[in-house]
Amino acid sequence: MKLKDNYLLLLVLVCLAIFFVNLDAIFVNIMEARNFATAREMLNLDHWIFTTLNNEPRYEKPPLPTWLTAISMFLFGMKSLFALRLPAAIMGSISVIFIYKLGLKFTANRRYAFISGLIAATSFYILYSGRDGQWDIHTHAWMIMAIYGIYKLFTEETSKYSNAIISGILIGCSFLSKGPVSMYALLLPFLIAFGVVFKYRDFKKNWFPVVLMLVMATIVSASWSLYVYYFDTQAVAKITDRETGRWLDYNVRPFYYYWSFVIQSGIWTIPAFVSLLYPYLKNRVFNKPGYKFTLWWTLGSVVLLSIIPEKKSRYLLPVLIPLALNTAFYIEYLFRRFDMLPKKEKWVVYFNFGLIAFIGLLFPIAGFIYLNELLPSIWPWFLMTSICLFGIGILMFYYLKKNKIKPVFYLSVWFIISVIFFGLPIAKKLEVNPEYKSILAVDTYREKMDIPVYEFKDFTPEIIWEYGRPIKVLWNGETYEKPSENEFLLLNTPINYDSMLETFPDYNIEKIDEIDMNPVGNTHKNRLYRDLYLIKKP
C-alpha cells in the first residue's frame, strides 16, 4: 500500500508532528506545575499513593496522569519539559487514533475516518491539551478507547467478554485520571446518541458483558479513592468538602456559556458550525445514521456540560471529540461535491479557508512590523515560518480558484504543522519579563546564611515547581505557626505584609530581595511575586 493510501500511518505521522515537536517551547503553567511538582514528590518523597503538593495532601484529582508523568521523569529526567509533557502528547495521539478507528468502525469509510482524525488533531483545544501536562487529555483518551470497545460490544457478535473487560478497565483508568468527568461529558452523551440512532437491539445478549464491564470499571475506579480514604480519612473529607462546594459556587456561568463551543475547534470553527445545521446537511452526507449519531453525541455533551454550574472553556474538550467526527461529514461532502455546488453554498468555504490563506500571506509583513526588535535573535525561525505560511497561503488561494477543496483542506493541516515546527520557537523570545527573578535566588541566601526558608500564607505551584522541593507554609488554615529558629527567611506577598507584622511583632524584619516569576513582561500575576524577608528574634 502506498503511503498516501495508508491513512492510519499518515495520521500517526501527523500526530508526531503536532504533539511531539517543540514540546518545551511554552513556559510551565499553573496546572502543569501542580502535576509536575506532585510527580516529583512521588519520586523524591515516595508519595506514590498518598499524593502531595508541597508536601501537603493532594487528593483533589486521582493520580494516574501524575504516575505516568513521574515514570517519564524517572526515565528522562526531572528538568526536561519534553519528558514532562510526553505522557500528554502520547494520550493526545491515542485520542486522535481512536477517533479515526471509531469513525471507521461506524461508517466503514477510511477517507472519512482520516478526515475526522486530522480535524481532531488540529482542533485547538485537543492540540493544546495534547501538548500540555494536565489531566484533561488523559481522562478523555482513556474514555475514547473505552467507547471504541463499547461500540464493538454492542455491534459485533464476537469477543464480547474481552471487549467488556477491556472497556471496563479503560473506564476505570479514565476515572483515575480526573474522576467522573469523562463518564459524564463523553460516555453518557455517547450512550444517549447510540440509543437514539442505533438502538440497543438484542440487549439481552449483552446484559452480562455490560454488568461485567461495570464491575471492572467500579473496581478500577474506586481502588485508589477507597484506599486513601481508609488510611487518611480526615484529609480526604476536608478536601472533598472543599471540592464539592466549588461545583456550586466556583466559576459559575450561565446555562448558555458553552453555546459558542465551536470556537474551541480553532481553524475548523466555521465548518464545525455548518456541520451542526442538520436540515442543510442531512441529505448531503454519505452516511445519514452516522451523521445523526455524531450530531446527537456532540449536542448531548454540550447540554450535559451546560447543566453543571461550574464552567470553564477547557471543560469543552470532550465536546471536540464527537464534533471532529461530525465536522468530517461536512468536509467529506465538500470533497465529493464542491466543484458542483452553487455559489450560495461555496461562499462560506471560500471565507473559511480564504481567511486562513490570508493570515498566511499577511504573516511575513505583520511579523516583521511586530517582531522588528527581536528579529536578530529569531530570524531563522521567522524566515522559515514566513516562507511556509506565505507559500501555503498562495497554494490555498490557487486551489480555491480551481475549486479543488481536498488540497485546501490538507494545506490547512500543514498550516498548523508549520506553526508548531517554526513558529513556536519564536514564542520563547516574546514579551520576556525584564524583571524576572527565579525563586532559586532564595537558595543563595539560604546557603550563605545557613538558615531555613518558609512561605507565610499560601504557596504557588509554579514557585514550588521551580524551587525543586517543598517550602513549609506557616499558615495551617487556622493560625500561623511560628518557626522555632531564631533566624529564618520568609516569602510573603505585599497584600499579607500587615498580617506578617502582626504575627511577628517583636521580631526584626528586613526585606532583602524581590522574587518576580512572571514570565511575560506585559502581565503581572500577584501569585507569582514574593518579597523575601530576613526575620530575626530580638
Side-chain angles (χ1 to χ4, degrees):
M1 182 182 293
K2 296 180 180 179
L3 179 61
K4 67 182 181 67
D5 297 322
N6 192 334
Y7 289 137
L8 183 57
L9 177 57
L10 284 172
L11 197 58
V12 170
L13 294 175
V14 168
C15 288
L16 290 174
I18 285 178
F19 294 114
F20 292 83
V21 175
N22 287 321
L23 266 180
D24 60 348
I26 306 298
F27 55 83
V28 174
N29 59 53
I30 185 172
M31 292 171 59
E32 289 186 307
R34 292 191 186 109
N35 205 3
F36 297 164
T38 302
R40 183 175 59 201
E41 291 179 24
M42 286 180 175
L43 291 171
N44 292 344
L45 305 178
D46 201 27
H47 293 173
W48 290 87
I49 302 299
F50 300 98
T51 52
T52 59
L53 175 57
N54 199 36
N55 206 22
E56 298 178 6
R58 184 184 180 233
Y59 306 145
E60 291 91 339
K61 301 292 188 299
L64 182 54
T66 322
W67 285 341
L68 297 176
T69 304
I71 293 170
S72 187
M73 273 185 177
F74 176 77
L75 294 174
F76 304 109
M78 293 186 182
K79 298 296 183 181
S80 169
L81 275 182
F82 178 87
L84 298 173
R85 289 166 173 159
L86 181 61
I90 293 171
M91 300 311 285
S93 301
I94 288 173
S95 300
V96 170
I97 289 167
F98 273 84
I99 287 170
Y100 166 87
K101 290 173 69 69
L102 182 61
L104 181 61
K105 182 63 66 175
F106 70 77
T107 65
N109 186 312
R110 291 172 58 248
R111 186 170 70 175
Y112 160 79
F114 182 54
I115 295 170
S116 300
L118 290 179
I119 292 174
T122 50
S123 289
F124 168 69
Y125 210 79
I126 293 178
L127 185 157
Y128 174 79
S129 299
R131 298 178 58 85
D132 191 63
Q134 38 95 334
W135 303 277
D136 297 81
I137 196 66
H138 288 263
T139 189
H140 301 308
W142 292 113
M143 188 57 75
I144 192 63
M145 288 190 281
I147 285 172
Y148 178 74
I150 293 170
Y151 186 90
K152 292 175 65 177
L153 171 64
F154 286 123
T155 58
E156 298 178 2
E157 295 300 321
T158 58
S159 305
K160 286 188 177 293
Y161 291 103
S162 61
N163 283 329
I165 292 171
I166 293 171
S167 295
I169 293 172
L170 291 171
I171 292 172
C173 289
S174 175
F175 188 95
L176 284 176
S177 297
K178 204 176 180 181
V181 171
S182 202
M183 292 181 182
Y184 178 78
L186 191 60
L187 177 60
L188 180 56
F190 162 80
L191 295 174
I192 293 171
F194 187 93
V196 169
V197 177
F198 299 123
K199 314 298 181 186
Y200 291 101
R201 299 182 179 90
D202 300 323
F203 188 79
K204 292 181 180 179
K205 295 181 180 179
N206 296 315
W207 75 267
F208 187 74
V210 169
V211 171
L212 181 61
M213 178 182 69
L214 293 175
V215 170
M216 292 301 301
T218 302
I219 292 172
V220 176
S221 298
S223 56
W224 175 80
S225 302
L226 291 178
Y227 187 88
V228 172
Y229 180 78
Y230 183 79
F231 287 101
D232 198 1
T233 306
Q234 187 175 356
V236 172
K238 182 178 179 181
I239 292 170
T240 301
D241 288 342
R242 183 176 69 236
E243 290 296 302
T244 302
R246 285 188 169 188
W247 280 76
L248 300 176
D249 57 21
Y250 184 70
N251 279 314
V252 174
R253 299 288 189 272
F255 180 82
Y256 55 82
Y257 181 76
Y258 287 141
W259 289 5
S260 60
F261 64 94
V262 291
I263 295 173
Q264 293 296 326
S265 60
I267 63 171
W268 309 116
T269 295
I270 295 175
F273 176 76
V274 175
S275 73
L276 298 172
L277 303 178
Y278 179 74
Y280 166 73
L281 210 55
K282 64 178 181 178
N283 294 321
R284 291 172 168 82
V285 297
F286 74 95
N287 186 314
K288 191 172 181 179
Y291 171 63
K292 290 173 64 177
F293 165 62
T294 60
L295 184 63
W296 270 94
W297 189 2
T298 302
L299 297 179
S301 182
V302 174
V303 171
L304 289 173
L305 284 170
S306 298
I307 294 171
I308 304 298
E310 182 187 1
K311 296 178 178 67
K312 295 180 182 178
S313 296
R314 62 185 176 86
Y315 291 172
L316 281 171
L317 177 59
V319 178
L320 298 183
I321 292 174
L323 183 62
L325 291 160
N326 198 66
T327 306
F329 278 107
Y330 176 55
I331 298 296
E332 193 279 336
Y333 164 66
L334 295 179
F335 274 26
R336 287 184 288 111
R337 306 287 295 180
F338 185 70
D339 57 340
M340 294 179 279
L341 292 182
K343 288 184 178 180
K344 65 180 181 180
E345 290 187 39
K346 285 184 176 180
W347 73 267
V348 67
V349 180
Y350 286 135
F351 178 78
N352 180 77
F353 293 107
L355 181 60
I356 298 171
F358 179 73
I359 293 172
L361 295 181
L362 188 63
F363 177 82
I365 301 171
F368 182 81
I369 295 172
Y370 181 72
L371 303 171
N372 190 29
E373 295 181 2
L374 293 173
L375 284 180
S377 61
I378 62 169
W379 72 264
W381 301 113
F382 176 73
L383 180 63
M384 290 303 299
T385 307
S386 298
I387 291 172
C388 290
L389 298 190
F390 188 85
I392 289 172
I394 292 292
L395 289 172
M396 289 180 76
F397 277 126
Y398 171 78
Y399 285 115
L400 281 173
K401 186 177 180 181
K402 294 286 186 179
N403 282 325
K404 294 182 178 180
I405 201 64
K406 186 187 299 185
V408 172
F409 171 78
Y410 292 134
L411 283 166
S412 300
V413 176
W414 276 110
F415 187 97
I416 297 295
I417 293 174
S418 298
V419 171
I420 290 170
F421 266 72
F422 306 116
L424 282 183
I426 298 175
K428 291 183 178 180
K429 303 290 184 178
L430 293 180
E431 299 174 342
V432 176
N433 181 9
E435 304 297 325
Y436 181 88
K437 192 165 193 176
S438 172
I439 186 66
L440 294 175
V442 173
D443 267 355
T444 303
Y445 297 99
R446 185 183 61 82
E447 293 171 1
K448 182 179 179 180
M449 301 177 184
D450 193 25
I451 56 177
V453 58
Y454 295 96
E455 176 77 66
F456 182 65
K457 180 69 180 286
D458 300 301
F459 70 87
T460 298
E462 295 99 317
I463 291 178
I464 296 301
W465 167 246
E466 179 76 9
Y467 192 61
R469 56 190 177 277
I471 302 175
K472 180 175 174 56
V473 180
L474 300 185
W475 177 252
N476 62 14
E478 297 178 356
T479 185
Y480 292 99
E481 300 176 359
K482 292 184 180 181
S484 59
E485 294 86 0
N486 292 328
E487 187 176 1
F488 55 90
L489 295 168
L490 185 64
L491 292 163
N492 194 14
T493 57
I495 196 172
N496 289 318
Y497 178 77
D498 291 340
S499 297
M500 180 182 67
L501 295 181
E502 293 173 5
T503 304
F504 302 103
D506 300 324
Y507 286 63
N508 294 320
I509 300 175
E510 178 188 357
K511 179 179 175 180
I512 59 175
D513 209 342
E514 297 178 355
I515 306 300
D516 186 355
M517 286 189 52
N518 283 280
V520 181
N522 62 358
T523 60
H524 182 84
K525 298 176 180 177
N526 292 329
R527 62 183 175 79
L528 295 176
Y529 177 88
R530 293 291 188 278
D531 290 320
L532 180 64
Y533 294 92
L534 176 62
I535 313 290
K536 295 181 182 180
K537 285 184 179 179

